[in-house]
Amino acid sequence: MKRLAAAIVALSSLACPLMAAATSLDDVRDIAVAWLKENRSLPGARMEAQADSLDSRLRLADCPARPSASLPGNRPLGARVSVAVHCPVPGGWTVRVPVRVKLFTQVLVTSRPLTRGDGIGAADVHAEERDVASLAYGYIAALDQVDGRSLARPLNAGTVLTPGMLAGRQAVRVGDAVSMEATVEGVTIRADGVALGAGDAGTRVKVRNASSGRVLDAVVSGPGVVAVLP
């Protein structure tokens, strides 16, 4: 009996190293979160990511190589993403990890109500930290992204500026010297003026007559040209 017991102990000691330990589900969740923070964050941004719990019944074999992670289809980052964690060996397992994401960075927010056709200047917007992962329509981080374009629709104060809110480029900007045209009984009269508003062709703006100082209503006709309204 003593010899049999010794043999069993010996066999057990040989078998233990051959039995691969299971991969922890918590490790898989940590890999998904770490990969997101390393590969999907932005310079200067602050990311908060929390992986949801995985099915406790899931059992994963030990992975002899370092597991890899990816966003299937290279999808853009959103408030909820599914990160694929894969054991990169023949027959290796793949687990999709649901992760809730918040990504805080500076975006442009309107400082006052703006109307359709308005240009956007430094006095119209300010920077605020917002969770951009929850902004499904994107955002604008700096004025140079506007690049002379006007608004496609009116905006309330406190609105995060998005690319879809922008129309075409401005034909006239605030402070531009413009040619004011008015047609009286078939005769076109021209005078120099200064634009007090901004917008593309068809946008109604205020202009100041450079000679008299009188402020008039006008419609943008083209680059540097406005038609004075009667």
Side-chain angles (χ1 to χ4, degrees), residues 148 169-173 176-181 193 195 198-203 205 219-227:
R169 305 195 182 283
Q170 295 171 287
V172 169
R173 303 184 186 187
D176 280 357
V178 294
S179 174
M180 301 187 305
E181 297 181 347
D200 299 324
T203 302
V205 295
V219 173
V220 178
S221 302
V225 181
V226 300

Side-chain angles (χ1 to χ4, degrees), residues 8 13 30 35 59 100 111 126 136 161 164 168 211 218:
I8 292 174
S13 64
D30 290 344
W35 184 87
R59 295 291 182 267
R100 287 169 287 171
S111 300
H126 62 277
L161 202 61
S211 298

